[in-house]
Structures are given as C-alpha cells and as structure tokens.
Amino acid sequence: MPLVSMRQLLDEAAKGGYGVGAFNVNDMEQIQAIMGAAKETNSPVIIQASRGARAFAQDKYLFHLILAAAELNPEIPIAMHQDHGNSFETCKSAIELGYTSVMMDGSLKEDGKTPASFEENVAVTKRVVEFAHERGVTVEGEIGVLGGVEDGHGAGGTGLEHVTDPDQAVEFAELTGVDALAIAIGTSHGAYKFTKKPDGSVLKMDVLIAIHKRLPNTHLVMHGSSSVPKDLQDVINKYGGKLKETWGVPVEEIQLGIRNGVRKINVDTDNRLAMTGAIRKVLWEQPEKFDPRDYMKPAREAMQKVVAQRMTQFGQAGHAGDYKAVSIVEIAKGYKDGSLKTKPLVAAK
Ligand code: 13P
C-alpha cells in the first residue's frame, strides 16, 4: 500500500472506535521493529520523525527507509508524520519530501522552547493547513503546552503549567481547520513524567473529556504517552543503568482517552527504554561481544514486543485490512471542495 494520509487513518480509527500509536523513529532497526509489530498484530500505523530524527538520520535515509517499509508491507496502511514541526519551513520541507502528515507545533515559538501567543499559534498553523491541504497532507496542531523536552524541543516543566483551555481548543480548531489536535493535559515528554502513579490532580483526563464534548469530530492527540513500565526500568538498572524512580501514563488512562476522542497516541520513551535495556543486557552479560548485530537484534526484538503490546492495548490491532488507501490527490480534492472540512471521510462510531 502506498503511504496513506493520516487523516484517512484517523477517520477510520474514529469509525472503529480505536486509537493508533504514533511511534518515533531515528533508524532502520526502529522502523523494522514497528513494522514487525504491525505485521504481527495486523495494525495500521503512524511512523513519525522529529526534527532531531531527521537531522540524525539525514532526511533521505529516513524517508527511503520508510518507503522500504511500505514496499515490503503492502497490506499495512502507514502514515508518515513530521513530529513537532517548529515552523512553516520545517513542515513545508517534510511535505515536499513526501510525508503524508505534519504536526505544526505552534504552541511554542520557532526556537521550540518559548510558549507562543494564541494569535501566533493560529497564524502559523493556519498557514501550514493551507499549504498542506492543497497537497492532500494532514495537519496536527497543538493548543496548550506539553511539559518536558524531547530532542531539544519543549518548554520544560511539569506539563501542568499550560494545560489546554477547552474554550481555546474550540476556537483554535475552528480558526485553523486542523485535522487533529494535540492537547496538554499534564503529560510531558521523556521518562520523568510523574513522581508517583498519576491521579486526576496531575493527569487531567477531565480536561480531555471536556474538550471532546465540545469538539466531538476532532481527532485528539495524546503526546508524552509512554507508560514507562517498571519492568523496562528494572532491566536498565539491573545492567548498570541509573534511572531514577518514575511513572508514566497508565495504559488504562490512555484507553479512557480513546473512549473520549483520542485517535493518535505518541510513544517514544518506552521504545527507547526497551532497546537500551536489551543492549545493556548483552554488553553486561557478554562483554566480549563487539558485533553490533549481537545487541541490535535483541534491541529490535525488545522494541517490537513493546509496540505490539501497545497496538493491542490501543485497539488498532486487527484493523490493517479494513480499508484501501485513498490517494493524496483525492484527499486534496476533499479539502478543496470543503467536504473534508466539515465531515470525516467515514462516519465516526
Ligand atoms: P514519550 O516521551 O512519552 O514517549 O512521548 C513521545 C511524544 O509525545 C513524541 O511527540
């Protein structure tokens, strides 16, 4: 299957009442791990690359690795997404390269650190929406500001400093015409999200539910959604790592989100933890090893296991064959004639 529009993938998820994991990649093994899991569970999937990933791997390498994934797995719908674009130019370059979806994170200024005003956010996001929709490409926006820092991008802090205001979310969605909306509900990027199992005082699922009630047809996105499982932390620490005690977003809270309009769930840290633990284990137990394949293979397997588990938990498992790709050209026509602005490609459940 050719790369599909993320809008189609999320509309189908809304119809089926499930969520889709968006997994970050930087290299070949991570892409292979995701595709292995997608094949194993028969799942549609979103593969996403941050600006840092694009710089690390070099655009062409990363893009062609993902094209290889599509070519080798014609039965799996894959959306290729720019994670946290910091400017119009970043999103434009991803679209010109062939990404089928971009995030314009206008919640921060172009430096990727300083919170932007509502007006600045609306202006840059709207500009990206116009450019992207003309080409059939999906746009995710962000209102409110997430905590933490990922690949140098982020305002830092706990995630509670700029929780999304539901009234602003409605205004933002209407003014910009985004296809998907990332909201801030107390989560943050990275391993250190919460100091204990989160409750409603730090993880604002009530805000998410309030936003969904006001915007029932907008696909909501949960960032910073790694669960940071204790068993993955333990493997790292057992083999010489030094992670401090920490908690992520419990899977049952994500599932509550999915029942309330969340269609895209961003996961990066859990995969990083799984790979690092597997590599540490090999090098700790067999210090004589020096062939990268001796530790990259177990690392890839460990990531595949986590991704397959999330695909099952988010409900996307089993849905790869539900639909055929609608071409980006057709999607662009839908944006142009207004039909995709006012209604999804398929009706939600
Ligand atoms: P985690 O750090 O929780 O995996 O979040 C990743 C993310 O939101 C990428 O945009």
Side-chain angles (χ1 to χ4, degrees), residues 78-319:
I78 308 172
M80 185 170 170
H81 176 75
Q82 160 80 59
D83 192 22
H84 290 288
N86 64 320
S87 64
F88 175 79
E89 281 69 29
T90 298
C91 294
K92 181 171 178 271
S93 70
I95 293 167
E96 286 173 346
L97 199 59
Y99 282 55
T100 58
S101 178
V102 292
M103 175 186 195
M104 177 59 235
D105 179 1
S107 72
L108 299 175
K109 289 180 189 276
E110 197 170 333
D111 66 5
K113 292 180 174 49
T114 317
S117 70
F118 179 76
E119 292 72 23
E120 286 170 319
N121 190 356
V122 168
V124 70
T125 306
K126 220 171 145 191
R127 194 171 164 219
V128 171
V129 168
E130 273 160 24
F131 185 84
H133 282 184
E134 263 175 33
R135 291 155 181 83
V137 172
T138 311
V139 181
E140 172 187 341
E142 176 168 326
I143 184 76
V145 182
L146 285 151
V149 178
E150 188 197 34
D151 283 352
H153 181 101
T158 61
L160 281 175
E161 281 129 62
H162 304 277
V163 170
T164 306
D165 168 36
D167 288 338
Q168 265 201 352
V170 174
E171 209 185 333
F172 183 80
E174 282 169 358
L175 289 172
T176 59
V178 288
D179 302 280
L181 186 61
I183 53 172
I185 52 166
T187 67
S188 49
H189 292 126
Y192 299 103
K193 301 181 196 302
F194 304 110
T195 52
K196 57 183 172 53
K197 189 172 179 201
D199 58 21
S201 66
V202 288
L203 181 59
K204 304 278 182 196
M205 297 307 291
D206 55 333
V207 172
L208 184 149
I209 292 167
I211 294 170
H212 176 56
K213 284 214 172 92
R214 307 273 309 272
L215 286 172
N217 295 321
T218 300
H219 304 308
L220 299 181
V221 183
M222 274 177 80
H223 278 248
S225 290
S226 277
S227 299
V228 196
K230 175 98 171 54
D231 57 333
L232 294 183
Q233 296 179 43
D234 287 348
V235 176
I236 292 184
N237 287 340
K238 183 170 174 197
Y239 298 105
K242 282 197 168 33
L243 289 178
K244 288 175 283 182
E245 203 175 30
T246 179
W247 273 263
V249 183
V251 168
E252 62 271 19
E253 299 290 356
I254 297 171
Q255 290 168 333
L256 171 66
I258 293 169
R259 291 196 295 277
N260 287 280
V262 171
R263 297 294 157 231
K264 173 172 181 276
I265 304 107
N266 284 19
V267 175
D268 186 2
T269 297
D270 284 352
N271 294 327
R272 294 179 177 195
L273 293 172
M275 290 186 92
T276 299
I279 292 169
R280 278 192 171 278
K281 183 171 189 293
V282 172
L283 296 179
W284 182 273
E285 288 179 342
Q286 304 170 80
E288 73 285 2
K289 295 280 189 196
F290 60 88
D291 181 341
R293 289 171 297 185
D294 288 334
Y295 51 85
M296 288 312 292
K297 194 163 177 279
R300 186 172 62 190
E301 285 163 3
M303 175 164 161
Q304 178 168 332
K305 197 170 149 206
V306 172
V307 174
Q309 199 180 24
R310 294 290 172 273
M311 287 170 160
T312 306
Q313 290 162 331
F314 298 162
Q316 72 208 80
H319 288 287

